[in-house]
Amino acid sequence: MLRRPRGVRSTTRSRGEPPRPVPPPLFDPCTLPDEALHAIGVDPATESPDFMGVQSEGWEVCGWEADWFYVTVFTSDVTVEEFRTRPRTTDFRPVEVGNREAWTFRSTADSQRGLCDLVYPSSQGTVLIRAGAQGTELMSKDGMREDPCVIAVRAATTLDPYVPE
């Protein structure tokens, strides 16, 4: 009788059980090239491969900072529809990013409107690009220099050629 080596799992399945599709690996946003990051105005040297010091299972995350704003790129298997229907999602609007259908949205918890998320599907997970103002920018009496949704759309458009279809 032929035995499998210890630790190797069988790929056989029970009768009538459909094969489980193996999802493709998520796109790693930390692989975005420095020249693209410079083009959106962030410093590649500020790269952070997590979100506020936290790594989340099922997500790939990478963020960068500029003088008054930051951009974080996430990929996940959370669908665009799931983002749209979250209770705290507001202002869900279609935008163009290259040839992709994309949407911007905000959180109802962001009363200062200092954040904007942009989301679209790709072959390696749903891509979410978050643009946000740094803390001191939010406290400026003159307001933010630029709407975070404008930054998110510009970042998504610039990074688009480097993200899998």
Side-chain angles (χ1 to χ4, degrees):
M1 172 184 252
L2 189 60
R3 293 180 183 245
R4 284 187 307 278
R6 189 169 273 185
V8 175
R9 297 173 60 187
S10 170
T11 56
T12 24
R13 54 186 194 272
S14 303
R15 278 188 200 191
E17 186 179 312
R20 293 183 198 140
V22 176
L26 295 173
F27 170 68
D28 179 359
C30 288
T31 62
L32 291 165
D34 287 357
E35 62 270 11
L37 299 171
H38 282 296
I40 64 172
V42 295
D43 180 357
T46 64
E47 180 177 295
S48 177
D50 54 38
F51 185 67
M52 303 178 106
V54 177
Q55 292 184 336
S56 298
E57 189 174 327
W59 292 80
E60 291 288 336
V61 181
C62 210
W64 304 268
E65 296 179 10
D67 60 343
W68 68 273
F69 69 93
Y70 66 90
V71 171
T72 305
V73 180
F74 305 79
T75 58
S76 175
D77 61 359
V78 175
T79 66
V80 169
E81 183 63 14
E82 288 173 294
F83 281 112
R84 188 187 71 73
T85 59
R86 287 182 171 173
R88 294 175 82 157
T89 294
T90 189
D91 297 336
F92 202 83
R93 298 170 191 221
V95 294
E96 288 185 30
V97 174
N99 293 324
R100 301 179 197 259
E101 288 186 348
W103 295 265
T104 58
F105 62 96
R106 296 182 186 265
S107 170
T108 57
D110 179 24
S111 61
Q112 294 179 300
R113 299 180 64 80
L115 293 174
C116 184
D117 292 322
L118 182 146
V119 66
Y120 60 83
S122 84
S123 63
Q124 289 184 273
T126 300
V127 176
L128 183 139
I129 297 174
R130 172 169 289 167
Q134 302 280 22
T136 55
E137 184 72 12
L138 290 173
M139 295 182 285
S140 169
K141 64 179 174 149
D142 298 326
M144 287 178 279
R145 297 177 215 184
E146 192 171 20
D147 184 312
C149 284
V150 172
I151 297 168
V153 171
R154 185 173 54 245
T157 302
T158 301
L159 300 175
D160 179 57
Y162 307 101
V163 177
E165 285 296 319

